Amino acid sequence: MNYLKTQNFCLQSIKAAIILTLFTPLLVTTSILFPYVSGKAIAFQILVEIMLALYLWLLYFNYKQTGSEQYLPKLNLLSWALIAFFIVLTFNAIFSVDPSNSFWSKQERMDGLFNLAHFFVFFFILAGVLKTSSERQFILNFSLIASILVSFNALGQKLGWFFAPYGQRITGPLGNASFLATYVLFNIFFALLLAFRTKKLGWKIYYSAILLIEAMVLLFTYTRGAIFGLLAGALIFLIGYSFFGPTNRKKKYALGLLIVVFLAGSALFALRHTDLVKKSPLLNRLTDISFSTGTGKTRLISWQIGFKAFLVKPLFGWGEENYYFAFHKNLDPVFYSFSTETFDRAHNKMVDLLVMNGLFGFLSYLFVFLTAFLGLWSIRKKDFIAGLTLVALLGAYFVQNFFLFDMPVSYLMFFFFLASVNAEMQTKNQPAPKQMKVLPKTVRWLKSSAWLGIVFVLFFLWAGNFKPILASQASINFQKYLSGSTKNDKSLQMALEEYKKSIDYQTFTNIETRKIFGQNASDIVNRQE
């Protein structure tokens, strides 16, 4: 067997799959429930599972040929922080109030331990295979290509070319203005990073254009949390450059721009009650911040309920994806004086962590941010601009998390970002591995692990992806038949058969399917009378 050729095939296939994951935000799968969420998440999971199988064989063939561990990720403080965070999440899932829900989640969120495990695997595969700065920059460009396609779709909504489910607030193919805002927030800073790194004027113009277009998209989402995050990131960058940057003319410009931003923000706040601000949908939304009325009041009460729930289970929490239980167990009835919604998230990442993952989960999550910051601070002498840009993005994401919560697309960007941080902490271009002695026991162990990995991947491809897809499609068929049925119509019977088929798959889609059935039960009874 030509081990070098097989190894190269595995490596290139993994890189191709990495690129494909960055295009999953464009997917809208109308053939299954929650087409803006579950389809993207399942596509990502399938790609990561294929990558994992290929990665295990890559390790085997590389060691068989060279005796080296070239493609194993080098563990640093950030890597260990992520491992610690995942261990806490696993422990919380096992001992949660609903372990099944914590592990599998539901189609609307796709945020259980099974889903999250794929992002951790994604991080470590990227850390293992993307060894050079040129490789990482090449992959990063594909994230920008995907993001500009998402942005054009969103701007098409603004221009009336495509359907916009939330009126003025554009959503793009992500189906939610907040999710779109978080997604473009990451890519704005990725574009800024590449604009600084390239020396060619044409590329600088290209990256700057992407930055401006996506900043405009973010503003048109009217998502205050992400906009405040962008402003925080901009302030971090300007402050960092003004006080810690190299001494040159640009430093004065950064300080001047910082003053302008501060004065503009102060003026906007001072004019918040004037017609100029009130008649502008964007400016009015940015300055209309109140915890006594509207969504501000419901969010505040939700946070209070969440904190009360945290005190009930302070150390390990209620378990991933179990905020719904915590919310109802500790519900303040006054909440329904301001809203008819039922929250399964606090709309505050920090409160979500405290409730679902307890103090240990909250602290381990903060430790990931701390180690990322320390890693970026450590490279400031090697590449100050790269370190400062990524620190600004880290700060922007952290600030927006006080107003929003994570979903699969934001996790994709966050773990991709962490992989970029991890790469910046390593040597830019590592030397080729030396030929080492190949140990037969290690070869056998790696080969067995690769075959075992294929078995696990095949199992989870079916149990975690294809089976839920089939169940979800049956659930949609159930709704189609039900909507078209009449009193004496056979479609009612066909609807019930599709419902039974969906439930018989015994997968996490049953939560939504049963909910839909319950919502339509009275209609079914009336048609049978």
Side-chain angles (χ1 to χ4, degrees), residues 72-91:
L72 278 177
K74 295 186 181 300
L75 299 181
N76 50 36
L77 192 60
L78 175 58
S79 305
W80 284 114
L82 282 169
I83 291 171
F85 184 42
F86 185 71
I87 290 173
V88 172
L89 291 179
T90 303
F91 185 89

Side-chain angles (χ1 to χ4, degrees), residues 240-259:
Y241 199 93
S242 299
F243 292 96
F244 301 103
T247 303
N248 54 33
R249 188 181 300 176
K250 294 179 182 178
K251 193 170 184 177
K252 295 180 181 178
Y253 293 154
L255 184 59
L257 187 56
L258 177 63
I259 295 171

Side-chain angles (χ1 to χ4, degrees), residues 357-374:
N357 307 116
L359 189 61
F360 286 110
F362 177 75
L363 293 177
S364 60
Y365 180 79
L366 292 184
F367 189 53
V368 171
F369 276 82
L370 177 61
T371 54
F373 171 77
L374 292 175

